[in-house]
Amino acid sequence: MSGKLWGVGLGPGDPELVTVKAARVIGAADVIAFHSARHGRSISRGIAAPYMRPGQLEEHLVYPVTTETTDHPGGYQGAIDEFYESAADLLAGHLAAGRSVALLAAGDPLFYSSFMHMHRRLADRFDTEIIPGVTSVSAAAAALGTPLVEGDQVLTVLPGTMPVDELTRRLRDTDAAAIMKLGRTYPGVRRALSDAGRLDDAYYVERASSTRQRVLRAADVDDASVPYFAITVVPGPEPATPIPVTAATGPAPGTAADDRAARGEVVVVGLGPGAAEWTTPEVTRALAEATDIVGYSTYVRRVPARPGQRRHASDNRVESERAAMALDLAKHGARVAVVSSGDPGVFAMAAAVIEESADPQWRDVPVRVLPGMTAASAVASRVGAPLGHDFAMISLSDRLKPWEVVARRIAAVATADMAFAVYNPASAQRTWQVAAMRELVLEHRKPDTPVVLGRDVGGPTESVRVVTLAELDPAEVDMRTLLIVGASTTTAFDTAGGPRVFTSRRYTD
């Protein structure tokens, strides 16, 4: 039996505006599919993340082009049609195999959405159901706090991609309007509003309903800063109450410190591996000063809640989206703390934030990284000094790099006779890598080489054991475990207080 295709409307941005039915379907689906541009950040996936469950298959549908500039022989339309065909074939494979597919759509699936292209190609072959969502037009009206239309007034929804003359004509002939698809089209939209005599009555709403929402008068918007997810609204009735307009430029510039405060900053912090006393005073101060806390939900919960401080928790697999969100919040004046466990520069968020900050749109956003105690140091301390000499750190996760690369690095470290710490050794989806690592190391190390297993060190369920390489049981290892594999000079011995391990700093030959 074939699976079912769900077109899931997610609403305009706030995860709490996802409908009950949409949340249920997202959690139950076998496959979650979502679109993004080449940068890989999917707004839809970010909205849906709180409702997803571990183990779901994900299909990331990346547009080959987002503008009409392309080398494709069929031009822009040829490239985009080819993409939709291949995406439909990919989803059809899942559906034919009996899997249910939830294709995510920001806003409503049939309102200026990419879902309709999949619907056109798949709905005649597979059972399909559409879950409507709150549109950005409704969210923008809510942000303005004023009706769009009333009585017999007419609302016209227009794409900003229309020719300026046609946009002008339609703006003159309607009572109220919502103009979508802004981004690089905004200069033409502003001109059409002006030519139609509607500019003074128009408002600009950016990322409606999200934590990054901004409301400006359309005339005050900087053309260069307009994202695609923005909308211009011309209400029909006269607003009954003042519209809460965001300051377009922030406080007047003064000193360099004032300017930095006005545009905000991002501070990437390490909370340490578990115990509260392992969070440094420097990090504690940064957390107290932050207006916004951004991070993986498990780590955000470790930060004490403070009145007025906004918290943005998300799934652990959306590092790029999280980094972009933090930088954008800071660009608009927020003091953002991006939280990581351990040290942020060791298999954590510092790399994602610094990499994303290289994008020219974030070049003026200050970014600082505050170090934290690493999980490797914490586990090592519990048994003595297994990392007392040269050592390496390796992540067994093959989510961002192929296993062949991981295996080469394990073999290289084993050959070099260094102790090494193993991060991300296993998860619910990755269950074989620890055994594969053990066999690779046994080609170069003796079976009695000490291995330290530290789980939840510093946390309430802490456990630390020392076994030999030959005894290492992959079934005892999960994502909360860190391994330290000894070198030929690593020694383990028993004491009244438990096992001790050290790697000698001296070589006998």
Side-chain angles (χ1 to χ4, degrees):
M1 180 181 291
S2 297
K4 184 170 183 177
L5 174 65
W6 295 89
V8 181
L10 298 171
D14 183 351
E16 292 188 342
L17 292 180
V18 173
T19 65
V20 173
K21 185 171 185 178
R24 176 176 60 79
V25 168
I26 291 167
D30 299 312
V31 181
I32 303 295
F34 49 91
H35 293 84
S36 82
R38 288 182 183 177
H39 53 58
R41 300 184 297 274
S42 172
I43 291 175
S44 294
R45 193 197 181 287
I47 299 171
Y51 308 105
M52 293 170 63
R53 58 180 169 79
Q56 285 178 298
L57 297 173
E58 296 186 30
E59 292 294 356
H60 190 171
L61 310 175
V62 181
Y63 291 109
V65 289
T66 49
T67 69
E68 296 186 4
T69 301
T70 177
D71 295 330
H72 192 281
Y76 172 83
Q77 197 58 51
I80 207 70
D81 287 344
E82 183 178 285
F83 162 70
Y84 285 133
E85 289 296 334
S86 64
D89 289 344
L90 178 65
L91 300 186
H94 287 295
L95 293 165
R99 302 183 189 100
S100 59
V101 177
L103 180 53
L104 308 180
D108 182 271
L110 297 181
F111 189 76
Y112 292 113
S113 168
S114 295
F115 172 78
M116 62 188 68
H117 298 286
M118 297 297 99
H119 186 268
R120 191 175 295 128
R121 291 167 170 82
L122 296 171
D124 61 340
R125 292 186 281 157
F126 302 99
D127 183 17
T128 302
E129 184 172 339
I130 296 165
I131 303 174
V134 177
T135 70
S136 59
V137 176
S138 298
L144 296 178
T146 192
L148 291 179
V149 284
E150 61 184 16
D152 295 329
Q153 291 179 331
V154 174
L155 170 67
T156 302
V157 179
L158 302 164
T161 51
M162 294 181 70
V164 173
D165 291 346
E166 180 65 11
L167 199 56
T168 301
R169 182 184 70 78
R170 291 177 182 258
L171 286 167
R172 285 179 179 146
D173 294 342
T174 191
D175 298 304
I179 308 173
M180 307 182 66
K181 299 186 177 184
L182 296 185
R184 59 194 177 92
T185 69
Y186 195 76
V189 170
R190 184 205 297 272
R191 178 181 158 195
L193 287 165
S194 179
D195 292 348
R198 310 297 295 269
L199 184 60
D200 290 343
D201 300 322
Y203 294 88
Y204 164 92
V205 183
E206 181 177 304
R207 297 183 176 95
S209 84
S210 78
T211 56
R212 295 179 286 171
Q213 174 179 292
R214 289 202 306 158
V215 178
L216 302 171
R217 290 192 172 276
D220 296 337
V221 176
D222 176 8
D223 292 351
S225 68
V226 177
Y228 181 83
F229 284 92
I231 185 169
T232 298
V233 177
V234 184
E238 184 75 20
T241 58
I243 288 178
V245 175
T246 306
T249 57
T255 65
D258 292 335
D259 292 341
R260 283 196 299 273
R263 69 174 182 266
E265 69 169 349
V266 173
V267 183
V268 192
V269 305
L271 300 176
E277 57 267 27
W278 286 344
T279 300
T280 69
E282 181 183 38
V283 167
T284 300
R285 284 194 301 272
L287 293 172
E289 294 169 356
T291 60
D292 295 75
I293 304 294
V294 172
Y296 174 37
S297 55
T298 299
Y299 305 147
V300 170
R301 285 195 294 269
R302 289 179 53 189
V303 178
R306 290 179 172 83
Q309 195 175 63
R310 297 178 292 268
R311 299 160 75 88
H312 313 276
S314 55
D315 183 85
N316 199 30
R317 294 167 291 182
V318 290
E319 291 93 344
S320 296
E321 293 93 331
R322 195 152 56 226
M325 177 187 185
L327 290 160
D328 196 54
L329 284 168
K331 183 177 179 178
H332 294 108
R335 298 186 304 279
V336 185
V338 179
V339 296
S340 292
S341 181
D343 183 277
V346 179
F347 303 119
M349 279 302 298
V353 173
I354 297 301
E355 181 177 3
E356 180 64 29
S357 72
D359 188 310
Q361 66 177 314
W362 314 125
R363 291 291 175 85
D364 292 332
V365 177
V367 177
R368 293 187 290 139
V369 178
L370 304 185
M373 182 189 293
T374 67
S377 298
V379 172
S381 73
R382 291 307 200 222
V383 295
L387 303 179
H389 199 13
D390 299 337
F391 70 92
M393 294 182 179
I394 293 178
S395 170
L396 288 199
S397 174
D398 57 357
R399 188 171 67 85
L400 299 177
K401 61 182 182 296
W403 173 254
E404 291 76 14
V405 173
V406 180
R408 281 202 307 271
R409 291 175 180 175
I410 292 169
V413 171
T415 302
D417 194 19
M418 287 192 291
F420 63 100
V422 181
Y423 282 72
N424 308 316
S427 70
Q429 290 77 41
R430 294 187 297 103
T431 58
W432 56 270
Q433 281 92 335
V434 173
M437 179 207 72
R438 181 189 60 199
E439 298 310 310
L440 282 169
V441 178
L442 280 170
E443 295 177 11
H444 305 277
R445 304 274 170 92
K446 294 179 179 179
D448 62 353
T449 299
V451 178
V452 183
L453 292 82
R455 186 181 187 279
D456 191 29
V457 172
T461 61
E462 175 180 317
S463 67
V464 180
R465 296 182 58 231
V466 179
V467 300
T468 66
L469 184 59
E471 294 170 339
L472 176 59
D473 182 0
E476 297 183 14
V477 179
D478 62 13
M479 199 63 178
R480 299 180 70 185
T481 305
L482 183 133
L483 304 177
I484 297 177
V485 180
S488 65
T489 58
T490 301
T491 300
F493 58 97
D494 291 323
T495 72
R500 291 184 190 163
V501 183
F502 72 97
T503 299
S504 177
R505 294 181 295 164
R506 300 176 178 85
Y507 275 76
T508 56
D509 53 23

